[in-house]
Amino acid sequence: MAPTRTVRRTLVAAAAVIATIGTLAGCSGGGASTGGSGSASDLDAALKTGGEITYWSWTPSAEAQVAAFEKAYPNVKVKLVNAGTNTEEYTKLQNAIKAGSGAPDVVQIEYYAMPQFALSDSLVDLSAYGMSDLKSKYSASTWGAVNIGGKLVGLPQDSGPMALFYNKKVFDTYGIEVPKTWDEYVAAAKKLHAADPTKYITADTGDSGFTTSMIWQAGGKPFTTDGTKVTIDLADEGTKKWTSVWNQLSQEGLLSSTPGWSDEWYKGLGDGSIASLVIGAWMPGVLESSVASASGDWRVAPTPTYDGTAANSENGGGGQAVTKQSKNPALAAAFLRWLNSDPASIKVFLESGGFPSTTADLEDPTFLSAAPAYFGGQKINEVLTQGSKDVRTGWSYLPFQVYANSIFGDTVGQAYQNKTDLNDGLKAWQEALVKYGNAQGFTVNK
């Protein structure tokens, strides 16, 4: 799920993103239902009674999961619709919310976009069905991502704890030790590029999701929301900690200018000209399927830290929610409960290359002991799972993060392009976001 989303995130036109948002501070869920109310027993009863629900998803596993569900519960028909990836789907969902009809019963939403729909009161509070009791089933960071404004607005599906993916063959050739701190990472970047100017420690031309993940990992909390009151501080201590490192790489020409997810990018990962990536735990499947020529060369290590103390963040991931327009919210919630907590569903999801959010799977000995040949027989899930445990708590996204991501290239992206101070780019991003948020009816930085 995450790789596809990340690819599309960089490609969807900003105009579509802007259309998605609308005036969120003033809109509400609308539609035929007032949302769910009941208990866990109501979900079991709904499954027995049966009926039909609609599910919007773009995940590769969705079709197989729906088939498995319908086999287990033959009285239920799930109409699966691919309404588009990422912001394309969000645009359609927001339009349906405004119109008061047309939304699905269950919808896939990434964590960064979840606040947008939670704030507009468009999603059912699943705690009404006793789903708050499922908390122990999920990693802390993903559970926190679906608990917004005191409501459980969804259930986690996957996660994307960050890790350092590196080309061991390149590192060994140039005598580079695996960096444990960001200072060591910068030193490795300088050593590699000095030894061979065609090689770079990594590629980064400016990506909003990567930037927010890196600020998160550094301890930054630039976005806080209380109802419609929003505070943006892209000059907080954590943000500056990250820019103090990344400015060195960007301004000194130590980052490859190859656009992420392009053919050239995949080629660079294959031939070693891009020697590492700091990215989400869903990356192994991408490398295995799209960079097959480098099989055996890559390894995984913990994300470098600032002071040697373990700290991590998420990159990508999302879950599903029940919309308030659902005419059968109990049945929709029952399907969602099965989708993201039943072992049969999760097995299908993991077989498609997803990285779990469920603690049982993160702790499963078979999962932990997997040693893919692509990574030289390394037990990579041991590293990735520990990264999940090290994710910092307390992170939150903007209630208009979809829009924020769409203008990143016009602000921070310019600092990358011109090799100027990233702090100036972040300042421009913040100014644009404050102006936009206030225009949409939020109270931002007041």
Side-chain angles (χ1 to χ4, degrees), residues 224-299:
T224 57
T225 302
D226 182 8
T228 58
K229 184 177 181 180
V230 178
T231 301
I232 303 175
D233 182 8
L234 283 161
D236 71 357
E237 182 178 353
T239 303
K240 288 188 173 181
K241 188 179 288 186
W242 171 67
T243 57
S244 70
V245 169
W246 226 247
N247 264 335
Q248 297 178 66
L249 298 176
S250 179
Q251 293 178 353
E252 295 180 31
L254 299 173
L255 297 173
S256 170
S257 59
T258 304
W261 311 101
S262 63
D263 290 342
E264 292 78 14
W265 184 76
Y266 286 116
K267 181 181 178 182
L269 296 175
D271 65 20
S273 57
I274 300 172
S276 73
L277 295 172
V278 182
I279 203 163
W282 37 261
M283 191 63 192
V286 178
L287 288 171
E288 290 179 11
S289 62
S290 301
V291 196
S293 62
S295 180
D297 295 345
W298 285 81
R299 301 290 187 276

Side-chain angles (χ1 to χ4, degrees), residues 43-50 73 75-76 331:
L43 305 188
D44 297 331
L47 289 172
K48 290 181 180 179
T49 302
Y73 300 97
N75 290 336
V76 184
L331 184 59

Side-chain angles (χ1 to χ4, degrees), residues 111 114-115 140-148 153:
Y111 298 132
M114 199 74 76
S141 59
T142 58
W143 185 254
V146 295
N147 280 267
I148 300 170
V153 297

Side-chain angles (χ1 to χ4, degrees), residues 11 45 57 126 141 166 327 331 353 389 398 400 403 420 429 432:
L11 299 178
S57 176
L126 299 175
S141 59
Y166 67 97
K327 295 179 181 180
L331 184 59
K389 296 177 182 179
L398 287 170
F400 43 93
Y403 171 79
T420 54
W429 196 30

